[in-house]
Amino acid sequence: MKLYFNPKSRAVIAKWMLDECGAEYEIVPISFEKGEHKQPEFLKINPAGKLPALVDGATRVFEGAAICLYLADKYPQAKLAPKLDAPERGRYLSLMVYSTSQLEPSMGDFLMKAPTAPSRGWTDFDGALNAIENELGDGPYLFGDWFTAADVMIGSMFIWQRMFGSKSGRPKIDAYVDRLAARPKGMKLG
């Protein structure tokens, strides 16, 4: 298994997931400065020329959420996803998609101090924070005591926010991010 990687990219999220799975993998460094992500060889792996990208034998997967979904199902022994027929599976899939379809773009608007236009299809950042607070419930993770790939995806967005110099301003979410950053294999702040 090969992870195409640059430490200044979303590939750090895929690496976190690989590490949580206990997967054996090779890092393939990609230089943005040299434009390696736009070369024809790489575009065969990810036609958008972006990271992360994962190759597992004949399988190629790109986009962070897709990689996390793939790995959680490939490594069921890591218990990072509900089983296909489990009642929690729908909520899990929804949170995985929510991380990139709602939380990330609303956070981007917030960090750039840009208004969120409803016509763009995502909620404003305050609405996203409310949703995540509700989903956290009383547990340390999104599924109570059970750490899943949804925590990797949702949590990574808040870790990025901290790397950009701000916290959520919500004690429940900030404590959640502290727990995620403290995980031995977790994505590190800084």
Side-chain angles (χ1 to χ4, degrees), residues 9-97:
S9 74
R10 289 177 179 89
V12 297
I13 301 167
K15 183 181 183 316
W16 178 13
M17 185 65 184
L18 282 159
D19 292 341
E20 291 283 357
C21 288
E24 290 186 25
Y25 62 96
E26 173 188 343
I27 293 280
V28 179
I30 296 292
S31 170
F32 293 141
E33 294 76 23
K34 294 179 183 175
E36 292 173 345
H37 58 301
K38 300 297 182 182
Q39 297 302 313
E41 307 82 48
F42 184 77
L43 294 174
K44 289 177 186 172
I45 298 165
N46 184 348
K50 299 280 193 176
L51 294 178
L54 181 79
V55 174
D56 183 15
T59 302
R60 68 182 176 95
V61 188
F62 53 92
E63 292 299 319
I67 290 171
C68 287
L69 287 163
Y70 175 79
L71 292 170
D73 289 344
K74 181 175 177 73
Y75 293 95
Q77 67 276 14
K79 297 184 172 124
L80 295 170
K83 293 183 181 185
L84 292 177
D85 59 352
E88 300 89 2
R89 185 73 178 193
R91 180 171 170 257
Y92 162 77
L93 292 172
S94 297
L95 287 167
M96 294 293 288
V97 172

Side-chain angles (χ1 to χ4, degrees), residues 68-149:
C68 287
L69 287 163
Y70 175 79
L71 292 170
D73 289 344
K74 181 175 177 73
Y75 293 95
Q77 67 276 14
K79 297 184 172 124
L80 295 170
K83 293 183 181 185
L84 292 177
D85 59 352
E88 300 89 2
R89 185 73 178 193
R91 180 171 170 257
Y92 162 77
L93 292 172
S94 297
L95 287 167
M96 294 293 288
V97 172
Y98 191 86
S99 68
T100 58
S101 68
Q102 298 292 317
L103 179 58
E104 184 175 5
S106 70
M107 183 181 289
D109 288 347
F110 173 78
L111 292 172
M112 306 264 301
K113 297 179 177 34
T116 299
S119 61
R120 295 181 73 195
W122 56 80
T123 189
D124 63 13
F125 190 49
D126 205 45
L129 291 174
N130 290 339
I132 298 304
E133 273 186 323
N134 288 336
E135 290 300 316
L136 272 170
D138 294 326
Y141 302 116
L142 291 163
F143 286 84
D145 290 331
W146 181 18
F147 175 84
T148 68

